Amino acid sequence: MDHAVDLEGYLERLKEEGFRLTGPRRVIIETLLENLGRHLNARELMELVQEQDSNVGFATVYRTLELLVGLGMLNRISLEEGFSRYEVPDEQMHFHLYCRFCGKTIHLDDEKAKEALVRSWMGDSGFVLLPQTFEVAGVCSDCRQCLADGAEALAPCGKLCRGRGARFCRRHRGGAEA
Amino acid sequence: MDHAVDLEGYLERLKEEGFRLTGPRRVIIETLLENLGRHLNARELMELVQEQDSNVGFATVYRTLELLVGLGMLNRISLEEGFSRYEVPDEQMHFHLYCRFCGKTIHLDDEKAKEALVRSWMGDSGFVLLPQTFEVAGVCSDCRQCLADGAEALAPCGKLCRGRGARFCRRHRGGAEA
DNA sequence: TTGCTTGCAAATTTTTTGCAAGTAG
DNA sequence: CTACTTGCAAAAAATTTGCAAGCAA
């Protein structure tokens, strides 16, 4: 799944585009490539980068991320958490199941076939598909069990119920302990 | 595409869940249902709501959005703009092509069939699919023409090149006028 | 050298929260 | 009445920007 991306080639590409190969950029890119499967966000990336070089600042991390995204060398993705995550684009697409309530993620198989299918959707639109990760939102079986009586009400379950929605979670409101 | 959602039924659902039907909530929900296809963000929603009742504050808009999302009555979506957009969940999924460079969006057909396909991806994972909108990222033909020599470099084209990436856009950096 | 880059701190933007006052049920 | 809700203002959190100093090419 995480078949290594060539670091030197990646760095070279930056240079070919006319950007300078600086220390901070090097560390940031190395970190990104060493954590291919993790979908780091800016803060997580920052923390890892600072283990290597504590001088690198937030601004540089953000600027480098934006540069890479602008060059198509990095994808910005969102799990609706209120901030962005980033992934090094792979040759091919990836497909995940994402539980909207507990955040659990499952990686799907046969990605090549699925990608071909998605590509076929573009038809004669003139669009060219960019490899990306699809997060298919759903409810996992664990959370489904937690969903009380009114099955379609889809109230968040009490176990993980992380993030913003927690405040209105019926389980939490009742005081039934998180 | 935007087959009306029943306002009273929607409001009723809130009450059934044990939440109060207040003026501000009413206005917010009305506005949401009157702009089904627009994928409003919090600020846009706020502005529309204030045309109806200038007393409603940002906090209430955010709190109501969060409440509805928590109840599964609203989906939070992201176009990687740095903030969230919201959509009233439809019975069925929707599929868009989204140009990563100019932001152009095209609505795809045969959504029922595509949805069935996506549902089949869930296999025996135990997940239940939640109706959602898929934004398939790509490059539209207009932007493809703007992509200079190094075709795979994918530098943003100069025309619309909106949002955060603009600063590093090769076209803009050169001073070649946006 | 030249001018792209960086770090820092301040500024923005988006979203959340505390709290007294308002109000639906 | 009761306690869920609201508006306001302050607080947080995420991201961006101005600018003098640093450094790659």
Side-chain angles (χ1 to χ4, degrees), chain B residues 2 4-12 14 21-38 40 44-53 56 61 64-65 68 73-74 88:
Chain B
D2 296 351
V5 172
D6 174 40
L7 174 63
E8 291 311 320
Y10 197 94
L11 293 171
E12 195 52 41
L14 243 200
L21 217 37
T22 65
R25 282 180 178 166
R26 220 187 186 89
V27 178
I28 291 169
I29 290 174
E30 277 174 16
T31 306
L32 241 18
L33 295 187
E34 279 164 6
N35 293 277
L36 279 184
R38 291 192 49 195
L40 297 172
E44 291 164 347
L45 176 59
M46 175 68 172
E47 282 162 9
L48 290 172
V49 163
Q50 292 207 321
E51 287 175 14
Q52 299 302 119
D53 179 348
V56 179
V61 168
T64 303
L65 287 172
L68 295 176
M73 296 172 67
L74 193 64
V88 177

Side-chain angles (χ1 to χ4, degrees), chain A residues 88-160:
Chain A
V88 177
D90 202 337
E91 287 297 296
Q92 66 166 53
M93 291 187 62
H94 293 294
F95 297 80
H96 300 163
L97 296 187
Y98 171 73
C99 176
R100 190 110 90 191
F101 297 122
C102 67
K104 185 190 306 164
T105 298
I106 290 182
H107 294 245
L108 295 177
D109 298 326
D110 296 323
E111 300 186 309
K112 283 285 188 201
K114 292 181 174 58
E115 173 173 347
L117 223 133
V118 171
R119 179 169 286 113
S120 77
W121 292 350
M122 320 209 90
D124 57 359
S125 63
F127 270 67
V128 167
L129 182 66
L130 289 174
Q132 61 203 275
T133 296
F134 267 21
E135 303 280 349
V136 185
V139 198
C140 74
S141 48
D142 290 343
C143 285
R144 212 135 37 80
Q145 289 196 331
C146 299
L147 297 177
D149 338 69
E152 82 241 287
L154 290 180
C157 83
K159 275 193 236 152
L160 292 160

